[in-house]
Amino acid sequence: MFDCAPAKKHTEKINFDVPVNACDSHCHIFGPASRFPFDVNRSYTPPDAGYDDLNAKQANLGLRRAVLVQPNCHGYDMSAVTDAISRSHGQYRGVALLPAQVSRAQLQQLDRDGIRGVRYNFVSHLAGATINDVSAMADMIADLGWHICIHADEISLLQLLPNLKNLPVPFIIDHMGRIDIDKGLHSEAFEALLQLRDCSQAWIKVSGVDRLAGGVAPYTAGHAFMKAIIDIMPDRTLWGTDWPHPNVTGEVPDDGQLLNIFGAVCEDAALRKKILVDNPQQLYRFNDNQTTGATA
């Protein structure tokens, strides 16, 4: 029995020129469960959304690169992600969930497999990590050129930021910190997020606008927050769909609409290229000689 809705086929036509080698810097892959079984301790069970589905979504949106963030439903088994990366000819990369006792040899193999970071969940329905876990892992991955991804909410974000600034590796705040936008652009949490402009190791994903806006399309309430982040730290901003949108509130988003929202908020073509192409290349080191989409 599934407790997540399936991904929606995007219907909204993209209304701007998507730059070559544009990247969806935050998406997931689920199964197919017949080949890549879900973890027995998962907190949700989604329908399959495998490599072929992801590749079709990418082609429909005019995107060529993707960062596959390991979902809770696959636990520490990275097989679905690394298989997708291997099929992408260097155009997909991954962010792992890893146990604290991961070995040096395992990290090196994951690096060869295209993994470029480790994610930690601090939101209430997925929580389990501590800042000590994050710090210890950061020390282990520093020489690999990896980064830490933080999935936080407003309360945990404010608690985490002072420690994150001391990490020896870059860190990324997913989904704009999932702040409470009802508190406005000058809330304590959002102002703390914007202050990351002064921390050279800090990055923010302007993904999850649908989640910030409570699932009410076209998610207008979240647009100003995206723009504020883009305006203040354009060199360290990433964009992603969060496809196939596990555990969303309201109707599953149309990914074409999400890309158009980014295009409307970020009107300058050169800045779009920076966020969609240049910035992700810094962190994920895609095969730069590829200008065609991933293939099976």
Side-chain angles (χ1 to χ4, degrees):
M1 179 66 68
F2 304 133
D3 45 27
C4 297
K8 183 177 182 179
K9 299 295 183 184
H10 99 268
T11 58
E12 189 165 299
K13 182 178 179 181
I14 306 306
N15 56 25
F16 68 95
D17 292 331
V18 178
V20 173
N21 288 331
C23 179
D24 180 344
S25 293
H26 192 106
C27 53
H28 309 283
I29 200 165
F30 300 150
S34 60
R35 184 178 177 197
F36 303 108
F38 295 131
D39 186 77
V40 295
N41 296 316
R42 63 190 179 276
S43 62
Y44 61 90
T45 303
D48 287 345
Y51 172 84
D52 292 332
D53 301 303
L54 173 63
N55 205 18
K57 184 273 297 184
Q58 291 285 98
N60 287 339
L61 296 179
L63 304 172
R64 294 190 173 92
R65 293 174 172 170
V67 179
L68 309 182
V69 179
Q70 176 76 348
N72 167 276
C73 61
H74 278 298
Y76 297 136
D77 184 355
M78 297 297 301
S79 300
V81 166
T82 56
D83 175 75
I85 293 171
S86 71
R87 296 172 66 183
S88 76
H89 304 290
Q91 299 307 285
Y92 293 173
R93 293 290 186 247
V95 174
L97 295 180
L98 294 178
Q101 66 272 21
V102 64
S103 71
R104 180 65 183 172
Q106 289 171 317
L107 289 173
Q108 291 173 330
Q109 181 58 57
L110 287 169
D111 185 67
R112 290 190 291 271
D113 289 339
I115 301 303
R116 296 292 181 262
V118 186
R119 193 188 202 207
Y120 287 92
N121 288 299
F122 289 91
V123 294
S124 58
H125 67 286
L126 295 172
T130 69
I131 191 60
N132 289 335
D133 296 329
V134 175
S135 297
M137 184 62 70
D139 290 337
M140 294 174 68
I141 65 174
D143 69 330
L144 294 172
W146 289 14
H147 62 272
I148 295 288
C149 271
I150 297 293
H151 185 200
D153 52 24
E154 179 157 320
I155 295 173
S156 57
L157 180 69
L158 287 168
Q159 297 170 343
L160 290 165
L161 283 179
N163 293 296
L164 294 175
K165 293 175 183 178
N166 295 321
L167 294 179
V169 298
F171 65 92
I172 303 174
I173 303 299
D174 288 346
H175 305 330
M176 297 180 276
R178 297 190 69 162
I179 50 122
D180 182 353
I181 63 174
D182 289 339
K183 295 181 180 179
L185 290 164
H186 299 291
S187 71
E188 180 184 7
F190 193 62
E191 290 198 341
L193 203 61
L194 294 183
Q195 287 169 11
L196 291 178
R197 68 184 181 276
D198 299 323
C199 176
S200 63
Q201 295 286 73
W203 295 67
I204 302 176
K205 288 178 190 167
V206 288
S207 54
V209 65
D210 57 295
R211 296 182 187 272
L212 264 63
V216 181
Y219 320 119
T220 308
H223 296 189
F225 295 84
M226 294 178 67
K227 180 171 174 50
I229 292 167
I230 290 170
D231 286 349
I232 207 162
M233 48 191 299
D235 294 330
R236 288 177 283 123
T237 296
L238 303 167
W239 171 86
T241 59
D242 197 25
W243 181 93
H245 309 283
N247 302 311
V248 295
T249 299
E251 185 178 0
V252 175
D254 179 328
D255 294 292
Q257 184 178 51
L258 293 178
L259 184 52
N260 281 334
I261 289 170
F262 169 76
V265 169
C266 182
E267 297 182 280
D268 181 77
L271 186 52
R272 288 175 185 158
K273 179 179 179 294
K274 178 183 287 290
I275 294 170
L276 294 176
V277 182
D278 301 335
N279 289 356
Q281 178 66 12
Q282 288 188 54
L283 289 172
Y284 297 103
R285 307 187 302 278
F286 301 98
N287 286 359
D288 213 14
N289 62 344
Q290 293 284 337
T291 57
T292 57
T295 58

